[in-house]
Amino acid sequence: MHNDPEQVLADTLHQLSSQTSDMGLVGDRQLYLQTDPMIDWQHPEIMRLAEQLAAKGNTPIGIAKVCFEWVRDEIYHSSDYQMNPVTCRASDVLKHRTGYCFAKSHLLAALLRANQIPAGFCYQRLSIHDDGAPYSLHGFNAIYLPDIGWYRLDARGNKAGINAQFNPPEEQLAYSTQLPGEVDFSAILPRPLAVVVSALQSCNNWNDMLLNLPDVADLRRSEAVQ
């Protein structure tokens, strides 16, 4: 086991890149339309909302924008609003109208996939307090848009100092990496990382999750959700 944080980061980058290669990602957009236990886009309530949102957009870009802004603005970030329960499955995020960044990305992917827009998962490693250690993963999405290709977007939720927008092809995420130890992973995964799902499912309330946010070292003990 490596104790050097830089080596851990290098190993993590390799792991994510290997997952991208091994699963035939990005080139096989059908993988980004699948349902799975966390991205249960065939759930009746998700299908209903997806149809309602699609009616407000005339093109894939228009539908994606409406879905993005709905999740960004109508699903409350768990720690910002100190809301329970800690959600993970897309249908639960919709039911309880709250979620951490990871959970919000699960719901956005579900709404987009229900509208036949390929959607995947991206991750950054960020300083929790913007001053170095401790660090945690941050989750958001990438979607495939006609004539544009893969486009990253972050429905975490805006607040003072955070202004994520949908303006393809220009990318405007919630965060940018600035400090040593922070990493913006380039991989676009078709499934959430298992370590993220495990963290969300094992925490009892929003504060418990805030104190146990997953970091890159946890990836050494986990693979992407099967």
Side-chain angles (χ1 to χ4, degrees), residues 12-14 22-23 37-38 48 71 83 92 106 109 116 123 135 138 140 154 176 178 183 208 210 212:
T12 302
L13 281 168
H14 176 73
D22 292 346
M23 292 189 287
M38 295 303 111
R48 184 176 296 110
V71 174
M83 289 181 66
D92 289 336
H106 299 172
Q116 295 303 295
Y123 297 92
Y135 299 89
H138 168 66
F140 54 105
D154 192 337
S176 61
Q178 301 179 19
V183 180
D208 188 19
L210 186 63
N212 293 280

Side-chain angles (χ1 to χ4, degrees), residues 30-147:
Q30 288 301 312
L31 289 171
Y32 298 88
L33 293 171
Q34 294 178 350
T35 184
D36 72 29
M38 295 303 111
I39 316 304
D40 56 341
W41 65 260
Q42 295 179 342
H43 187 282
E45 292 302 316
I46 290 179
M47 294 288 288
R48 184 176 296 110
L49 177 60
E51 182 177 0
Q52 292 172 354
L53 295 175
K56 300 178 181 180
N58 297 319
T59 65
I61 290 180
I63 294 170
K65 177 180 173 65
V66 172
C67 290
F68 163 76
E69 291 181 345
W70 194 92
V71 174
R72 183 193 65 186
D73 300 339
E74 300 299 328
I75 302 297
Y76 300 110
H77 191 282
S78 299
S79 66
D80 287 357
Y81 290 87
Q82 300 184 5
M83 289 181 66
N84 292 316
V86 178
T87 54
C88 183
R89 183 179 292 108
S91 58
D92 289 336
V93 180
L94 178 57
K95 176 181 178 180
H96 296 288
R97 295 294 184 98
T98 188
Y100 271 87
C101 59
F102 312 110
K104 295 186 69 170
S105 75
H106 299 172
L107 176 58
L108 179 55
L111 290 170
L112 293 167
R113 291 181 184 188
N115 280 302
Q116 295 303 295
I117 297 174
F121 302 94
C122 300
Y123 297 92
Q124 294 170 326
R125 190 204 195 208
L126 302 170
S127 169
I128 293 176
H129 303 298
D130 297 324
D131 58 0
Y135 299 89
S136 75
L137 293 174
H138 168 66
F140 54 105
N141 297 97
I143 64 176
Y144 190 85
L145 298 172
D147 301 322

Side-chain angles (χ1 to χ4, degrees), residues 145-163:
L145 298 172
D147 301 322
I148 292 175
W150 286 102
Y151 175 72
R152 302 195 307 172
L153 66 172
D154 192 337
R156 176 233 180 270
N158 291 339
K159 62 178 184 177
I162 295 177
N163 183 29

Side-chain angles (χ1 to χ4, degrees), residues 170-186:
E170 298 299 322
E171 183 178 282
Q172 189 169 339
L173 301 177
Y175 303 105
S176 61
T177 54
Q178 301 179 19
L179 301 173
E182 294 188 327
V183 180
D184 190 337
F185 298 110
S186 61

